Amino acid sequence: MVRERYIRQISSLREDLLRMFSMVEQQLLRAIRCLESWDTIAAAQIIHDDQQIDEAWRALEESVIHVLATQQPVVASDLRLTSVVTAIAGELERIGDYANSIAKRVRRASRRSSFIAPPPQIHEMAQLVLHMVNTSLEAFLHQDVELARSLTDHDERVDELEDTLRALIISEARQDPDRFEAAVDLLDMVHALERTADRATNIGERVIYLATSSQTTLN
């Protein structure tokens, strides 16, 4: 009976993490749509909903602590799972923060008298980052090491796009100093996307550790 309860608790940790994955993916998707449409109403809702992700993160951490305190798992794979769940939940919470940051910048940019249209490369970057988060989820679901490793190539492309976008946005600002603050808004949004990609690769590293017990660096 005790063992069965323990198995249910371990299973519940995975399910709670998957729910958090879903929440964060949706939040990121909404932030990207918000960036592409400059929808300030949607931006306000994203900012409001960020608290739900924070609450899910705290609840998951409490669940991990409860399992460790009451069940004292001795199986190495279970110990890895609890540590990986905690680490991935932290990465997801940060991705939620980046989505929140994008939404805040959209609201701020919409109030400015000057405006810089996002270069088309920002769409490619946003979609690639969203794909990376989804890939990290699939890698966790299936403990797929090769899928996790595939995040490296995507991360390199995101870094290339960040460099390109920074150059384009700064060039725009130099042509018209009145648009400097608008450029800062866009640069911050680009940086939030790049950091999200880094968090996705961090999740990939945790998946590899879960599956192989070995530490690796993907970015």
Side-chain angles (χ1 to χ4, degrees):
M1 182 67 71
V2 172
R3 181 64 186 175
E4 289 178 1
R5 184 169 65 251
Y6 165 66
I7 291 172
R8 286 197 301 271
Q9 288 177 319
I10 289 291
S11 178
S12 180
L13 290 180
R14 289 185 83 258
E15 292 170 2
D16 288 346
L17 185 64
L18 293 177
R19 276 192 290 271
M20 191 175 177
F21 253 115
S22 179
M23 291 172 64
V24 170
E25 269 193 310
Q26 285 303 307
Q27 189 82 328
L28 179 61
L29 176 59
R30 291 161 63 201
I32 289 170
R33 288 174 176 169
C34 183
L35 167 59
E36 295 176 345
S37 64
W38 297 97
D39 186 339
T40 56
I41 296 175
Q45 188 63 49
I46 291 166
I47 295 166
H48 176 269
D49 291 348
D50 183 60
Q51 182 179 350
Q52 297 177 15
I53 292 174
D54 292 342
E55 290 172 353
W57 173 47
R58 286 191 289 269
L60 193 49
E61 286 202 321
E62 287 296 324
S63 294
V64 169
I65 292 170
H66 178 74
V67 169
L68 292 174
T70 60
Q71 299 297 333
Q72 292 295 314
V74 293
V75 180
S77 60
D78 290 344
L79 285 170
R80 284 200 305 275
L81 178 62
T82 54
S83 67
V84 165
V85 164
T86 302
I88 291 179
E91 301 291 353
L92 291 173
E93 190 275 335
R94 293 300 295 145
I95 292 174
D97 284 346
Y98 297 135
N100 188 35
S101 175
I102 290 171
K104 287 180 176 178
R105 284 293 179 178
V106 167
R107 291 188 74 190
R108 188 177 307 177
S110 69
R111 301 189 186 109
R112 300 198 187 283
S113 57
S114 59
F115 177 77
I116 295 179
Q121 290 88 345
I122 205 166
H123 176 77
E124 179 186 350
M125 185 182 190
Q127 293 303 311
L128 183 54
V129 168
L130 187 63
H131 173 71
M132 288 179 68
V133 173
N134 181 260
T135 297
S136 71
L137 166 59
E138 291 297 318
F140 173 75
L141 271 173
H142 305 291
Q143 292 191 34
D144 189 327
V145 172
E146 290 308 309
L147 191 59
R149 291 188 185 282
S150 74
L151 290 164
T152 298
D153 290 340
H154 297 320
D155 188 55
E156 290 175 357
R157 177 57 181 159
V158 167
D159 289 343
E160 291 172 359
L161 287 166
E162 183 190 25
D163 290 341
T164 298
L165 284 162
R166 286 179 60 84
L168 289 170
I169 294 165
I170 291 171
S171 177
E172 285 280 334
R174 284 175 175 164
Q175 294 175 31
D176 183 356
D178 290 340
R179 296 194 291 179
F180 174 79
E181 290 182 339
V184 171
D185 289 329
L186 266 183
L187 288 171
D188 279 353
M189 287 187 267
V190 168
H191 182 64
L193 289 172
E194 187 275 333
R195 292 300 297 143
T196 299
D198 285 345
R199 297 291 175 175
T201 58
N202 288 350
I203 293 172
E205 291 171 3
R206 298 296 180 176
V207 170
I208 293 171
Y209 172 67
L210 179 62
T212 68
S213 304
S214 63
Q215 303 281 357
T216 188
T217 301
L218 296 180
N219 61 7

